[in-house]
Amino acid sequence: MSALTVYADVVRYRDLFANLFRRDLHAKYRGSALGVLWTVANPVMLMGVYLLVFGVVWKSPFSSGGHYPLFLLTGLAPWTFFAAALQSSTRSMLDNANLIRKTRFPRQLVPLSVVAAHLVSFGVMIVLLLVVDFVVLPRARATELLAVPIAAVFVAFVAGLALMAASLNVLFRDVEFIVASLLVPWFFLTPIIYPLSGVPGAEHHPHAIQAIHWLNPLSPAVEAIRAPLFLGRLPFWGDALYLVVATVLALALGAFVFSRVDDQIAIEV
């Protein structure tokens, strides 16, 4: 099964995918009074906590810059989507064991529909940031729409990782615990609450900054989205190229791993 076939099934079986998407979206917000508004509430609450910690309790040098709340939100939006989509999709095959055992259908639709359900939240957050940044940050008005296609590439990157994690978790149940335990250090190793440039003492540890930038695939993605959306400039070409290459690799690895375990999924779940 080729990589193109794996992802083309989303279009070929679009009615089934739409049903899975609606079910996942309904399950995500079932019984919630605010519904999709939790999309905004979650990163805003996180922003409030970080502003309290880094702006009041421990006066961070980056919190004194202009519009630090928006700086935080432009990093928290992709991170929240990434963390929630990856963690939810990793267990998706196991959570849908009854459906997978009873019916023969393209199983890759299960984790991909979970990513699509979280995409709604991400989309709402990006739209709100576009509106707020347009009003508050004149410098970003000419470039902010460029964040939309960059965010779309980032979604494809997350989809590839999600498919790979979900497939591996069918055979190795430790994967979901590994993903959960990695998310906390991964967050602090991603430039969300701090910029990669202008970090105090960075000149004494240049290799550490370079490692955070280039060894963490989320760093170029966050930087590429933040540049047009917050800084009002085109993303650094290295970040954009890195994101595109990482996305191609993630999609290819996701399809490769899935195709190797597809025949075992119904047995193992």
Side-chain angles (χ1 to χ4, degrees):
M1 185 185 300
S2 69
L4 289 178
T5 302
V6 169
Y7 298 107
D9 280 347
V10 173
V11 178
R12 189 177 298 116
Y13 296 88
R14 54 187 173 274
D15 291 337
L16 174 59
F17 183 77
N19 288 332
L20 291 171
F21 164 74
R22 284 192 292 267
R23 186 202 60 175
D24 292 333
L25 190 63
H26 178 69
K28 183 179 178 184
Y29 296 113
R30 183 185 296 131
S32 168
L34 293 179
V36 75
L37 290 179
W38 280 113
T39 299
V40 183
N42 186 31
V44 167
M45 285 189 291
L46 285 174
M47 179 197 71
V49 171
Y50 294 129
L51 284 176
L52 175 64
V53 172
F54 295 106
V56 179
V57 177
W58 178 61
K59 190 66 176 177
S60 168
F62 6 100
S63 67
S64 59
H67 305 293
Y68 185 61
L70 287 177
F71 174 87
L72 281 175
L73 285 177
T74 52
L76 285 172
W79 170 263
T80 303
F81 165 68
F82 166 77
L86 184 61
Q87 195 160 18
S88 300
S89 59
T90 301
R91 269 202 60 84
S92 60
M93 298 282 198
L94 302 181
D95 291 338
N96 289 273
N98 290 334
L99 177 63
I100 289 173
R101 291 194 197 104
K102 292 177 182 177
T103 310
R104 178 67 186 180
F105 67 97
R107 281 74 177 260
Q108 68 269 35
L109 299 187
V110 173
L112 294 179
S113 69
V114 173
V115 174
H118 286 282
L119 175 58
V120 173
S121 302
F122 186 41
V124 170
M125 194 66 202
I126 290 293
V127 169
L128 287 175
L129 279 170
L130 287 172
V131 173
V132 173
D133 286 357
F134 185 86
V135 173
V136 178
L137 299 174
R139 65 173 183 255
R141 291 173 185 171
T143 61
E144 64 173 8
L145 288 178
L146 186 58
V148 175
I150 297 173
V153 176
F154 179 65
V155 170
F157 168 74
V158 175
L161 290 185
L163 180 58
M164 180 173 60
S167 303
L168 288 174
N169 196 50
V170 170
L171 300 181
F172 310 103
R173 304 299 166 84
D174 289 337
V175 171
E176 62 185 278
F177 302 108
I178 293 172
V179 168
S181 63
L182 283 177
L183 286 177
V184 173
W186 204 340
F187 174 84
F188 289 102
L189 289 174
T190 304
I192 297 169
I193 60 178
Y194 56 86
L196 281 176
S197 58
V199 177
E203 65 276 5
H204 303 300
H205 306 283
H207 297 300
I209 299 299
Q210 290 299 311
I212 290 174
H213 193 167
W214 301 114
L215 296 183
N216 177 2
L218 283 188
S219 293
V222 170
E223 292 286 285
I225 293 172
R226 179 177 276 153
L229 191 56
F230 176 77
L231 299 176
R233 63 184 184 221
L234 297 178
F236 173 51
W237 69 267
D239 291 330
L241 179 61
Y242 189 111
L243 176 58
V244 171
V245 173
T247 298
V248 172
L249 289 176
L251 289 172
L253 281 173
F256 174 79
V257 173
F258 171 77
S259 63
R260 292 298 180 272
V261 305
D262 187 24
D263 293 335
Q264 306 174 57
I265 289 176
I267 301 171
E268 295 293 337
V269 297

